[in-house]
Amino acid sequence: MSFAQFQAHLRRGEFGTAYFIFGPDAYLRDAARKALMEALTKAWGGEPPSSSIDLDQTRLEQLLAAALTPSLFAPRQVMHIRGVMKLRDRQVRELADYLARPNPATVLVFLAGELSRDDRRKKVFKTLQAGSRVVDLAVLSEAQTRSWIAKALGKRGHGIQEEAVECLVELQGTDLGRLHLEVEKLALLAGEGKTVTLEMVQESAGYCRDHTVFDFLDAVLAQDRRKALRLCCELSAQPAGMLSMVTLLGRRLRSLLQIQEISPTMKLGDMARTVGANPYFLKRLLDPAKRFRRQALVTAIDRLASIDDGIKRSSPDSRLSLERLVADLSARPGHAR
């Protein structure tokens, strides 16, 4: 089940005795867990007692014994379980036996992070697939994330400009945990009932300096070499700031490549849908897309990938590599590279 399918399942009240909730976004996993608890509380006329168990610290036999034992405080109970993907084959057989004959008064909620292909080939995964309701929480697409931001601010009584949504997604990506914090900050910054603007998003972007990463991106795409290098030095003092610069610059360059591959006769709205960008931002990229050679963009994206890897490995050369790339990208035709 996707998150939307899971919500529909909860609305129908067709509860199971075991759920397996997994995915790379911790915020989304927690939202699914809370939604299940809220649905069970409503259906059962009161919040059931719940416990959290880590199988790194608790033996499976103890967990299953507790699941079979009626709660002393209520007729039903919920158990949140982590570490299930580390179970060995013998333990998996014990789990399969329980899932085949579960205690109807106990709901087991197995929680896991992102699962690799190898994880999905394990016996424990297949056992959970067969014996529980599987909730596979894929990362939201950028379009879904934009909708989530608008709804999250709407619940707090705020509207948000389209360009502000686009800016927020560019800066934070689709990680709902980080976006949740940004939404809370923006709601406070905007004031009661006010619309969140692009300027507010840039102001709360986490930079305490006079310039933001968006000033840096604009300087690179305008091929203002002196300004681009000055902002690169200013904003890359910390690894986190440098990583954000690399991520956002990579996105911009990929957008330029996409624009170059689109027919110039296509209308702006159609181009925006094809590229998956807001028309406000797309319009600003049309001129840069004409100035940069395709091969230069491809090479720059490859170099950014290497720089990104270097930052994550704490390579001391990463900052210098980024500055060289910025110098090359922002040099106008005819200037030395």
Side-chain angles (χ1 to χ4, degrees):
M1 286 185 282
S2 65
F3 190 80
Q5 291 169 330
F6 180 55
Q7 289 177 309
H9 160 78
L10 296 180
R11 286 194 294 268
R12 292 193 297 268
E14 301 170 351
F15 304 115
T17 55
Y19 290 87
F20 182 30
I21 300 173
F22 62 92
D25 193 317
Y27 182 90
L28 204 53
R29 294 197 305 271
D30 195 51
R33 183 190 63 79
K34 288 178 179 178
L36 175 59
M37 287 299 294
E38 289 172 2
L40 291 175
T41 298
K42 182 178 180 180
W44 293 347
E47 185 175 352
S50 63
S51 57
S52 296
I53 297 172
D54 190 334
L55 290 175
D56 284 338
Q57 303 170 2
T58 303
R59 288 165 43 209
L60 179 66
E61 293 83 354
Q62 292 177 284
L63 163 67
L64 298 181
L68 290 167
T69 303
S71 171
L72 297 174
F73 307 102
R76 298 181 178 91
Q77 64 177 334
V78 181
M79 304 175 75
H80 305 284
I81 304 152
R82 290 177 171 79
V84 69
M85 293 303 296
K86 297 179 182 179
L87 293 181
R88 298 177 180 177
D89 288 354
R90 177 186 61 79
Q91 296 171 308
V92 171
R93 288 193 293 271
E94 293 177 18
L95 177 60
D97 290 341
Y98 172 84
L99 293 176
R101 295 178 296 278
N103 178 1
T106 298
V107 176
L108 301 183
V109 184
F110 298 97
L111 300 165
E114 185 173 12
L115 300 185
S116 66
R117 289 184 180 179
D118 288 340
D119 288 330
R120 293 168 187 261
R121 295 190 187 103
K122 291 180 178 179
K123 288 185 179 179
V124 64
F125 180 80
K126 295 176 181 177
T127 296
L128 289 168
Q129 267 190 318
S132 66
R133 307 291 179 94
V134 176
V135 185
D136 186 352
L137 300 174
V139 174
L140 297 187
S141 67
E142 289 195 1
Q144 291 171 321
T145 303
R146 294 185 190 102
S147 176
W148 183 91
I149 292 168
K151 289 178 181 177
L153 281 165
K155 289 178 181 177
R156 293 163 175 79
H158 300 277
I160 182 169
Q161 295 176 345
E162 285 189 19
E163 55 266 34
V165 173
E166 188 73 19
C167 177
L168 195 52
V169 173
E170 278 212 42
L171 183 64
Q172 301 296 341
T174 58
D175 185 310
L176 295 188
R178 292 193 306 184
L179 286 168
H180 172 72
L181 295 176
E182 289 300 315
V183 164
E184 293 290 344
K185 284 197 298 182
L186 289 166
L188 291 172
L189 181 64
E192 187 174 352
K194 298 292 181 62
T195 296
V196 174
T197 65
L198 175 63
E199 291 74 20
M200 291 176 189
V201 173
Q202 293 175 336
E203 184 180 341
S204 71
Y207 294 95
C208 56
R209 306 171 182 85
D210 292 335
H211 300 99
T212 72
V213 67
F214 299 101
D215 297 321
F216 161 72
L217 295 175
D218 289 343
V220 172
L221 297 193
Q223 294 184 304
D224 185 338
R225 194 179 198 187
R226 178 175 295 179
K227 183 177 181 180
L229 283 171
R230 177 168 55 81
L231 292 178
C232 181
C233 293
E234 178 182 317
L235 297 173
S236 63
Q238 298 297 325
M242 187 159 50
L243 193 59
S244 178
M245 294 166 67
V246 168
T247 300
L248 295 179
L249 181 57
R251 286 190 180 193
R252 287 287 171 93
L253 298 185
R254 283 190 287 273
S255 294
L256 295 183
L257 275 177
Q258 288 179 291
I259 292 170
Q260 289 181 352
E261 294 170 357
I262 293 175
S263 170
T265 60
M266 187 179 290
K267 294 182 179 179
L268 185 62
D270 294 332
M271 291 177 68
R273 283 189 290 273
T274 301
V275 174
N278 184 282
Y280 170 84
F281 275 93
L282 184 63
K283 188 175 182 179
R284 296 172 59 189
L285 297 180
L286 294 179
D287 285 339
K290 297 174 183 176
R291 286 197 298 270
F292 287 91
R293 292 181 293 107
R294 187 180 191 283
Q295 188 55 48
L297 294 174
V298 172
T299 301
I301 290 171
D302 287 341
R303 289 171 67 182
L304 281 171
S306 298
I307 295 169
D308 179 84
D309 183 60
I311 296 170
K312 292 173 181 175
R313 289 188 291 103
S314 301
S315 170
D317 298 328
S318 298
R319 190 173 181 184
L320 179 58
S321 297
L322 179 59
E323 290 173 0
R324 285 174 174 167
L325 173 60
V326 169
D328 289 346
L329 272 175
S330 56
R332 292 183 180 276
H335 288 201
R337 289 183 175 252

